[in-house]
């Protein structure tokens, strides 16, 4: 709180601090969450409220950034401690908008991610570019344990990224059989098209036989027949769509 005290001095608020006889740096640890800060301020005068809330919220903003840092480094114990102090798991990094959960998933810190999820961190809160914890974990490929944990917390498996792609489409494009299996088990749709190609189309064209077989097993009934008819109609210029039907 020292640098903040200097700013208060420049603003002339130091007179308020002195008149109220507040030892703020020592008192701040007792204001470990936002609710406690507000409760403490409510019992005070207007001047005291300004000081307590100003110092208290700055202290907690530092906790929010510290939570992000702890998740980034995979320090689950610090994540748990900071959450108990009221750190905000919705805090987003000013450069890119990543959350603590996002970076925990990005770097494979499963325990830190689990602590955040159990505390209520939103599973689908995205970065500024639209990337979610699930899409990042899938992108890394080897984070299948984290992918499963996110899906168990109801992450949106068919959410489109900023390029209009689903995680299953990307996994198929990259030939990641195990990841595709996990996503399909969670209900991923293999027929969602990206630039005219579904995940199944990709597997049928270039995929390994095991991946092609897996995706085919999860197609909705009649999908291949409907696709074949649509292709025939497109090749024929759309003729035959309006007549001759019995």
């Amino acid at each position: 709180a020292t640098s903040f005290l200097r700013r208060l001095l420049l603003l002339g608020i130091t007179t308020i601090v002195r008149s109220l006889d507040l030892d703020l740096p020592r008192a701040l640890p007792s204001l470990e969450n936002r609710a406690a800060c507000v409760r403490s301020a409510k019992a005070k005068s207007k001047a005291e409220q300004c000081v307590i809330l100003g110092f208290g919220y700055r202290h907690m903003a530092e906790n929010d950034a510290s939570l992000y840092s702890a998740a980034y480094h995979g320090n689950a114990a610090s994540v748990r401690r900071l959450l108990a102090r009221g750190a905000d798991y919705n805090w987003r990094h000013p450069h890119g908008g990543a959350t603590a959960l996002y970076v925990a998933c990005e770097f494979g810190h499963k325990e830190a991610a689990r602590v955040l999820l159990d505390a209520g961190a939103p599973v689908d809160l995205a970065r500024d570019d639209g990337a979610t914890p699930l899409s990042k974990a899938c992108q890394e490929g080897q984070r299948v344990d984290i992918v499963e944990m996110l899906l168990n917390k109801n992450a949106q498996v068919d959410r489109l990224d900023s390029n209009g792609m689903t995680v299953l489409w990307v996994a198929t494009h990259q030939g990641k059989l195990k990841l595709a299996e996990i996503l399909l088990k969670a209900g991923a749709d293999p027929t969602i098209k990206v630039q005219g190609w579904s995940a199944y189309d990709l597997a049928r064209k270039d995929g390994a036989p095991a991946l092609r077989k897996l995706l085919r097993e999860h197609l909705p009934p009649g999908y291949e027949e409907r696709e074949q008819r649509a292709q025939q109609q497109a090749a024929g210029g759309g003729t035959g769509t309006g007549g001759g039907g019995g």
Side-chain angles (χ1 to χ4, degrees):
T2 304
S3 62
F4 192 61
L5 272 172
R6 290 196 187 101
R7 288 199 292 272
L8 285 179
L9 285 168
L10 293 174
L11 293 171
I13 304 179
T14 183
T15 54
I16 299 175
V17 177
R18 287 173 178 170
S19 67
L20 297 174
D21 193 25
L22 293 174
D23 186 4
L24 290 171
R26 191 165 57 194
L28 282 177
S30 67
L31 304 177
E32 289 184 340
N33 57 60
R34 287 165 173 76
C37 186
V38 172
R39 283 197 304 270
S40 178
K42 281 182 177 178
K44 309 294 183 180
S45 68
K46 292 294 184 183
E48 288 175 304
Q49 287 179 18
C50 291
V51 176
I52 290 173
L53 291 175
F55 275 89
Y57 274 86
R58 181 180 184 277
H59 178 66
M60 286 177 287
E62 291 174 351
N63 278 346
D64 299 342
S66 296
L67 177 65
Y68 177 97
S69 179
Y72 181 95
H73 293 289
N75 191 333
S78 291
V79 169
R80 190 176 291 106
R81 175 176 54 81
L82 288 162
L83 287 170
R85 287 187 173 185
D88 185 4
Y89 45 58
N90 291 320
W91 186 86
R92 294 156 58 89
H93 196 280
H95 301 292
T99 63
L101 178 61
Y102 182 95
V103 292
C105 295
E106 178 180 7
F107 294 105
H109 302 315
K110 182 180 179 180
E111 181 60 17
R114 186 191 66 76
V115 172
L116 287 161
L117 287 168
D118 288 347
V123 69
D124 290 314
L125 190 57
R127 281 171 39 108
D128 294 343
D129 61 5
T132 64
L134 178 63
S135 63
K136 191 60 180 178
C138 288
Q139 180 183 329
E140 297 303 321
Q142 70 271 27
R143 315 276 194 232
V144 290
D145 53 344
I146 292 180
V147 169
E148 289 180 312
M149 183 169 62
L150 293 169
L151 292 171
N152 288 336
K153 290 291 186 177
N154 299 315
Q156 296 178 30
V157 71
D158 284 330
R159 179 169 174 160
L160 303 182
D161 65 14
S162 58
N163 296 312
M165 300 177 183
T166 67
V167 287
L168 177 61
W169 197 95
V170 175
T172 304
H173 180 66
Q174 297 175 347
K176 296 174 180 175
L177 178 63
K178 178 62 176 177
L179 181 57
E181 184 178 0
I182 292 170
L183 294 169
L184 287 164
K185 185 178 179 181
D189 185 351
T191 70
I192 294 175
K193 293 183 182 291
V194 177
Q195 298 178 354
W197 291 78
S198 69
Y200 177 62
D201 294 334
L202 291 177
R204 188 173 54 182
K205 179 176 181 292
D206 298 319
L211 184 57
R212 186 163 59 246
K213 179 176 181 292
L214 174 68
L215 287 160
R216 188 176 189 183
E217 290 171 350
H218 288 81
L219 293 174
Y223 174 79
E224 289 185 288
E225 292 79 4
R226 291 192 297 273
E227 285 291 293
Q228 188 175 20
R229 285 197 300 271
Q231 291 170 7
Q232 290 171 348
Q233 290 178 0
T239 59
T241 59

